[in-house]
């Protein structure tokens, strides 16, 4: 994964609230002003937000959704007392932040990147599409799955011309992948014989973030077709920077920390991801 690390990481500090609005029931987009995070946050890196309640010791980690000028945007679901507090932030107020943290997606290759997200796994992929925009050596396709409201399509469309989405009334992201694969002549080969990449043709690389079951299904789908997959894992984190050792994950390199060694991993190195969907 990307080895990018800022040479200097500021400590926890207040960030000004620029905007806070509800996109749909229980899904909030929060824009904060912090020049360092806006300039340095790479796709799938995250930031910690801290509540004002001193009894809530652990911060809440959120993947960066977009970064422009001296501001950056987060998108999150209201699921508890901490996120409920953030939901009521208003412009001009401040909230304590730390970041950017973790290792993001590896976008160094010349490739056609296919960004597959589900639910609140979509924000880091929007930041990825933003990073890929304008690159002549890379392509970008966005495939999002929702429960019902397609709340992130407009944000993704700012950065990628090929944005497709599906909700539970139609199917899931694997069905969307099947449609995309049919258009691009990509077929499953369960005998392990990979379709060779023609000279001058960019390989396809899958980048995924979302519910664990969805990411495992996407990884298995990609493996059947000989495609590399990078997954941005979600995990309960106590600190967010590798100290508390709460968010461990078993890999072929041993037991690693999701927050510090990830959150992005190549799925080929994740133990327990081998089973077919």
């Amino acid at each position: 994964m990307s080895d990018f690390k800022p040479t200097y990481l500021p400590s926890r500090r207040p960030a000004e609230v620029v905007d806070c609005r509800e996109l749909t029931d229980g899904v909030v987009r929060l824009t904060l002003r912090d020049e360092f995070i806006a300039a340095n946050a790479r796709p799938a890196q995250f930031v910690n937000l801290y509540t004002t309640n001193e009894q809530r010791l652990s911060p809440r980690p959120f993947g960066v959704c977009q970064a422009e000028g001296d501001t950056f945007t987060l998108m999150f679901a209201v699921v508890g007392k901490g996120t409920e507090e953030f939901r009521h932030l208003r412009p001009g107020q401040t909230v304590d932040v730390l970041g950017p943290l973790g290792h993001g997606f590896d976008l160094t290759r010349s490739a056609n990147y296919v960004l597959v997200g589900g639910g609140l796994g979509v924000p880091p992929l929007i930041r990825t599409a933003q990073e890929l925009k304008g690159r002549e050596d890379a392509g970008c396709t966005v495939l999002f799955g929702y429960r019902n409201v397609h709340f992130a399509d407009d944000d993704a469309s700012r950065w990628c011309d090929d944005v497709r989405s599906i909700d539970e009334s139609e199917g899931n992201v694997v069905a969307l992948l099947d449609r995309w694969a049919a258009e691009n002549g990509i077929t499953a080969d369960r005998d392990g014989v990979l379709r060779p990449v023609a000279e001058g043709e960019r390989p396809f690389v899958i980048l995924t973030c979302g519910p664990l079951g969805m990411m495992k299904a996407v990884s298995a789908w990609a493996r059947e077709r000989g495609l590399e997959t990078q997954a941005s894992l979600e995990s309960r984190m106590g600190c967010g920077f590798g100290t508390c050792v709460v968010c461990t994950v078993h890999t072929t390199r041993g037991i690693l920390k999701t927050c510090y060694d990830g959150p992005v991993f190549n799925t080929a190195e994740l133990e327990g991801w081998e089973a077919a969907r």
Side-chain angles (χ1 to χ4, degrees):
M1 299 308 95
S2 173
D3 290 327
F4 170 82
K5 282 285 187 181
T7 55
Y8 163 72
L9 181 64
S11 60
R12 171 177 169 176
R13 68 266 184 202
E16 178 190 355
V17 177
V18 176
D19 187 54
C20 185
R21 65 185 62 193
E22 200 157 341
L23 299 179
T24 184
D25 187 28
V27 177
V28 175
R29 182 171 62 203
L30 173 65
T31 302
L32 301 172
R33 177 168 286 113
D34 184 280
E35 184 176 2
F36 186 85
I37 291 175
N40 290 287
R42 297 300 184 261
Q45 285 193 300
F46 64 95
V47 299
N48 279 346
L49 260 60
Y50 298 81
T51 77
T52 56
N53 189 323
E54 295 181 355
Q55 292 183 324
R56 298 183 193 128
L57 299 179
S58 297
R60 274 59 176 173
F62 300 111
V64 175
C65 180
Q66 298 177 82
E68 298 179 84
D70 62 353
T71 68
F72 69 96
T73 300
L74 309 174
M75 196 180 290
F76 60 87
V78 179
V79 295
K81 293 182 179 179
T83 47
E84 179 66 29
E85 179 182 318
F86 301 145
R87 174 193 217 164
H88 296 289
L89 290 169
R90 292 295 176 261
Q93 294 181 312
T94 62
V95 59
D96 278 7
V97 300
L98 177 67
L101 302 168
H103 292 269
F105 289 119
D106 182 356
L107 305 179
T108 57
R109 296 174 60 186
S110 174
N112 291 314
Y113 293 96
V114 184
L115 285 48
V116 185
L120 267 297
V122 303
L125 298 173
I126 295 174
R127 178 72 187 93
T128 305
Q130 182 183 16
E131 188 80 1
L132 291 171
K133 186 175 178 63
R135 271 185 52 176
E136 296 182 357
D137 67 334
C140 176
T141 299
V142 169
L143 307 179
F144 284 165
Y146 302 96
R147 179 173 298 173
N148 40 52
V149 180
H150 297 223
F151 57 83
D153 284 7
D154 288 344
D155 285 282
S157 296
R158 292 186 60 197
W159 313 111
C160 180
D161 294 330
D162 189 2
V163 176
R164 316 177 193 194
S165 60
I166 195 170
D167 58 52
E168 290 182 353
S169 68
E170 307 168 277
N172 56 35
V173 289
V174 174
L176 203 55
L177 274 166
D178 285 336
R179 297 176 197 170
W180 168 82
E183 294 176 12
N184 289 276
I186 298 173
T187 57
D189 192 334
R190 294 176 176 82
D191 295 325
V193 180
L194 308 183
R195 181 178 71 88
V197 178
E199 185 177 354
E201 180 183 357
R202 292 194 296 248
F204 291 103
V205 176
I206 307 292
L207 310 177
T208 186
C209 185
L212 182 62
M214 183 214 80
M215 290 194 292
K216 286 187 174 182
V218 169
S219 175
W221 183 96
R223 186 170 56 254
E224 291 172 355
R225 292 156 179 81
L227 305 181
E228 173 192 336
T229 305
Q230 300 174 33
S232 180
L233 304 186
E234 295 183 354
S235 179
R236 289 189 178 275
M237 299 178 187
C239 66
F241 42 82
T243 300
C244 68
V245 200
V246 169
C247 59
T248 55
V249 58
H250 291 262
T251 76
T252 56
R253 294 185 282 141
I255 299 176
L256 301 179
K257 304 167 187 175
T258 300
C259 70
Y260 186 78
D261 301 298
V264 174
F265 296 90
N266 190 305
T267 59
E269 66 178 341
L270 294 173
E271 293 185 2
W273 285 53
E274 300 83 3
R277 60 188 172 98

